[in-house]
């Protein structure tokens, strides 16, 4: 077999393998992958056998077509560039570790072996290794919602995009023409460190952008809730005047007018009047935390669960990332709501207090007395007392709190209540 044909087939399979394994994350169909495979094969064969361009440059051209194809499908240059670099980095890491290491340390190029079965076997082995690595990365990416993070970008960031594209081509061409073969391993190490550094930089950028976006969404939700709260305060202020008008109608024996006013008061108060919990929510900062508390109180009210909320004055969450605290709060209260719904007398108690050394969130909820709570197992992955439930809530809570040395949580029972306490030491 012509070695150039084998190498063409190899890197074509590598590109197609990336698209196939991550097709769900990219929202690609089999038709999309097939179309890419046909066009890229034509390009590679024309470059290699008709124009007689080296396979290294052929790889670069087909890689460029991959980036263009991603942009055509995704239509956002920064996102398609990040995914392009992501795929290319993985492929080059496998090639450098598999082929270049063999050339430098053993003076043996597996694809130039005179024994014809060996190059094909090495190509199959390389594809197998790449496939395994891609599946491992896919599992990690799903666990940490990496592609959701990438697709959450709402900025073009042209300077960063140009830097990523230009720097990749410069390093690749420098790898081919600026360094002798004797420095191949060292050059590969430098390039791989560079690519990983760029990937980490991009991930940090995406993570920061995602957190800002979530905080803005929470802030928008709070502004909406604040509108209703302000209207409720205005209504309470005018309530005595409305009652006086109602009394006047009754004294004048104007029953129809009195009933009409009473009906309007009832409808309006049902829509706007809130209990003292909403006033207490103003005691905690930053503002996005208020938003999630308002949402949870509305949910508890809608489910007709008896509850109490106590928040000390002037609490500001600063020793833990606000977004992580919001995620913990969401998990804990959701868990309490789900558990209390199965209880004979649903009830939830939420308390946030602050001392000189720590901030403590305590959530208590009643639970079904027939259920046997296994406190040693309850925080493990997929453990749940509820049917058709994934049991990831408290497991994810543990993952978040483990990021901090000053944050701990504990679980227990008190009388008929399940008690979960989250403590944040002030630093």
């Amino acid at each position: 077999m012509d070695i150039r044909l084998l190498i063409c087939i190899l890197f074509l399979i590598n590109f197609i393998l990336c698209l196939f394994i991550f097709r769900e994350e990219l929202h690609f169909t089999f038709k999309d992958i097939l179309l890419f495979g046909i066009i890229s094969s034509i390009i590679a064969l024309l470059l290699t056998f008709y124009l007689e361009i080296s396979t290294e440059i052929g790889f670069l051209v087909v890689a460029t077509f991959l980036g263009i194809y991603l942009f055509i499908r995704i239509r956002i240059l920064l996102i398609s560039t990040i995914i392009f670099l992501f795929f290319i980095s993985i492929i080059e890491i496998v090639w450098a570790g598999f082929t270049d290491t063999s050339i430098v340390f053993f003076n043996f190029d597996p694809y130039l072996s005179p024994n014809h079965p060996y190059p094909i076997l090495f190509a199959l082995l390389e594809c197998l290794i790449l496939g395994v690595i891609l599946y491992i990365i896919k599992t990690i990416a799903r666990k940490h919602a990496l592609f959701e993070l990438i697709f959450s970008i709402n900025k073009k960031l042209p300077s960063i995009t140009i830097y990523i594209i230009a720097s990749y081509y410069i390093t690749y061409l420098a790898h081919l023409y600026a360094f002798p073969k004797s420095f191949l391993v060292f050059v590969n190490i430098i390039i791989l460190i560079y690519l990983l550094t760029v990937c980490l930089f991009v991930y940090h950028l995406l993570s920061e952008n995602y957190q800002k976006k979530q905080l803005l969404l929470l802030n928008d939700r709070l502004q909406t809730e604040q509108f209703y709260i302000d209207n409720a305060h205005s209504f309470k202020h005018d309530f005595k005047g409305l009652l006086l008008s109602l009394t006047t109608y009754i004294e004048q024996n104007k029953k129809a007018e009195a009933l009409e006013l009473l009906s309007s008061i009832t409808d309006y108060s049902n829509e706007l009047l809130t209990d003292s919990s909403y006033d207490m929510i103003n005691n905690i900062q930053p503002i996005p935390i208020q938003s999630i508390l308002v949402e949870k109180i509305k949910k508890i009210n809608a489910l007709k669960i008896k509850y109490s909320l106590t928040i000390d004055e002037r609490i500001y969450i600063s020793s833990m990332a606000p977004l992580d605290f919001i995620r913990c709060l969401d998990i804990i209260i959701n868990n309490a709501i789900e558990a209390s719904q199965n209880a004979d007398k649903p009830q939830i108690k939420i308390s946030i207090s602050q001392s000189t050394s720590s901030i403590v969130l305590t959530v208590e909820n009643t639970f079904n007395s027939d259920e046997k709570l296994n406190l040693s197992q309850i925080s493990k992955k997929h453990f749940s007392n509820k049917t058709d439930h994934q049991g990831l809530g408290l497991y994810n809570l543990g993952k978040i709190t483990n990021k901090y040395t000053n944050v701990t949580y504990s679980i227990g029972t008190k009388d008929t209540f399940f008690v979960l306490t989250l403590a944040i030491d002030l630093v």
Side-chain angles (χ1 to χ4, degrees):
M1 176 182 285
D2 191 318
I3 187 62
R4 293 177 300 168
L5 178 61
L6 178 62
I7 293 176
C8 281
I9 294 172
L10 179 61
F11 67 65
L12 285 170
I13 291 175
N14 284 180
F15 290 135
I16 293 170
L17 200 59
C18 289
L19 295 179
F20 177 77
I21 290 176
F22 287 93
R23 65 189 183 280
E24 295 175 359
E25 287 75 9
L26 298 175
H27 308 292
F28 272 32
T29 64
F30 287 103
K31 183 180 178 180
D32 296 327
I33 299 170
L34 180 62
L35 182 62
F36 170 80
I38 292 171
I39 298 175
S40 59
S41 298
I42 293 171
I43 293 172
L45 294 173
L46 284 175
L47 290 173
T48 304
F49 296 101
Y50 184 73
L51 300 177
E52 296 186 350
I53 293 175
S54 67
T55 52
E56 290 89 349
I57 297 300
F59 174 87
L60 186 61
V61 173
V62 177
T64 303
F65 174 66
L66 172 66
I68 295 171
Y69 193 74
L70 286 169
F71 173 68
I72 292 171
R73 297 296 305 163
I74 297 172
R75 298 186 180 279
I76 301 174
L77 184 58
L78 178 59
I79 294 177
S80 55
T81 301
I82 292 170
I83 296 172
F84 163 77
L85 180 67
F86 176 68
F87 287 154
I88 294 299
S89 300
I90 298 169
I91 292 172
E92 291 193 0
I93 286 171
V94 174
W95 275 39
F98 188 74
T99 305
D100 293 350
T101 304
S102 175
I103 294 171
V104 173
F105 290 105
F106 303 105
N107 196 27
F108 173 68
D109 189 336
Y111 299 111
L112 295 178
S113 173
N115 297 318
H116 292 297
Y118 287 147
I120 297 174
L121 290 175
F122 273 102
L124 291 173
L125 182 60
E126 189 274 339
C127 290
L128 178 63
I129 293 171
L130 178 64
V132 171
I133 291 174
L134 288 173
Y135 268 110
I136 292 172
I137 293 174
K138 179 177 181 174
T139 302
I140 296 171
R142 280 186 171 179
K143 183 177 180 181
H144 297 283
L146 181 59
F147 278 84
E148 287 82 352
L149 197 64
I150 293 173
F151 280 98
S152 70
I153 299 176
N154 55 5
K155 297 180 180 179
K156 294 183 178 180
L157 303 176
S159 57
I160 292 176
T161 306
I162 293 170
Y163 167 74
I164 294 172
I165 295 172
S167 60
Y168 169 72
Y169 282 94
I170 291 170
T171 53
Y172 185 86
L173 293 173
H175 167 255
L176 289 182
Y177 298 111
F179 299 97
K181 295 293 183 182
S182 57
F183 291 98
L184 190 60
V185 171
F186 301 105
V187 173
N188 281 332
I189 291 172
I190 292 170
I191 290 174
L192 293 179
I193 291 173
Y194 163 76
L195 289 174
L196 290 173
T197 303
V198 172
C199 289
L200 288 172
F201 167 73
V202 170
Y203 178 78
H204 174 74
L205 181 72
L206 295 175
S207 181
E208 184 178 1
N209 177 72
Y210 180 76
Q211 290 194 26
K212 287 180 179 178
K213 187 176 179 181
Q214 292 299 309
L215 289 174
L216 286 172
L217 287 172
L218 287 170
N219 187 58
D220 288 343
R221 281 156 56 187
L222 179 64
Q223 296 303 320
T224 303
E225 298 296 341
Q226 193 67 46
F227 171 78
Y228 289 103
I229 293 172
D230 291 341
N231 283 343
H233 286 316
S234 299
F235 180 75
K236 289 177 181 178
H237 182 267
D238 297 333
F239 195 66
K240 287 183 179 179
L242 291 169
L243 289 178
L244 181 61
S245 300
L246 182 62
T247 303
T248 303
Y249 279 136
I250 293 172
E251 288 175 348
Q252 294 177 359
N253 203 27
K254 295 181 178 179
K255 294 182 180 179
E257 290 84 350
L259 289 172
E260 184 178 352
L261 179 60
L262 183 60
S263 177
S264 64
I265 291 173
T266 303
D267 293 339
Y268 196 60
S269 62
N270 285 339
E271 182 180 356
L272 292 179
L273 277 181
T274 58
D275 55 39
S276 59
S277 298
Y278 289 98
D279 293 327
M280 194 168 292
I281 286 172
N282 290 322
N283 292 342
I284 191 167
Q285 296 284 343
I287 287 175
I289 296 173
Q290 299 177 16
S291 177
I292 194 70
L293 277 171
V294 169
E295 182 182 314
K296 295 306 170 188
I297 295 301
K298 286 177 66 177
K299 184 175 181 180
I300 292 170
N301 275 326
L303 294 170
K304 294 181 170 39
I305 298 174
K306 183 180 178 182
Y307 79 97
S308 64
L309 175 66
T310 306
I311 303 177
D312 288 353
E313 292 186 1
R314 297 180 182 178
I315 293 180
Y316 193 96
I317 305 298
S318 59
S319 298
M320 183 180 189
L323 190 59
D324 283 337
F325 181 80
I326 288 168
R327 290 176 63 198
C328 291
L329 193 62
D330 183 65
I331 291 169
I332 294 169
I333 298 180
N334 278 343
N335 187 73
I337 291 172
E338 290 174 357
S340 62
Q341 283 182 280
N342 297 323
D344 295 332
K345 296 180 179 179
Q347 187 177 353
I348 296 174
K349 299 178 183 178
I350 303 170
S351 169
I352 306 176
S353 60
Q354 180 170 345
S355 65
T356 55
S357 59
S358 64
I359 295 172
V360 178
L361 164 68
T362 303
V363 177
E364 304 178 36
N365 63 269
T366 52
F367 59 93
N368 189 344
S369 57
D370 295 333
E371 292 178 356
K372 293 182 179 180
L373 291 181
N374 190 336
L375 297 181
S376 63
Q377 298 289 323
I378 201 168
S379 297
K380 292 187 177 180
K381 188 175 183 180
H382 299 309
F383 179 87
S384 176
N385 285 322
K386 299 175 277 294
T387 57
D388 298 324
H389 194 276
Q390 291 183 330
L392 294 175
L394 295 184
Y395 171 76
N396 287 333
L397 177 65
K399 285 176 59 180
I400 298 169
T401 56
N402 286 338
K403 292 163 55 178
Y404 298 88
T405 57
N406 65 314
V407 180
T408 57
Y409 81 93
S410 61
I411 53 178
T413 57
K414 184 175 70 175
D415 299 328
T416 58
F417 287 87
F418 175 83
V419 183
L420 195 150
T421 303
L422 179 75
I424 307 171
D425 294 333
L426 300 178
V427 292

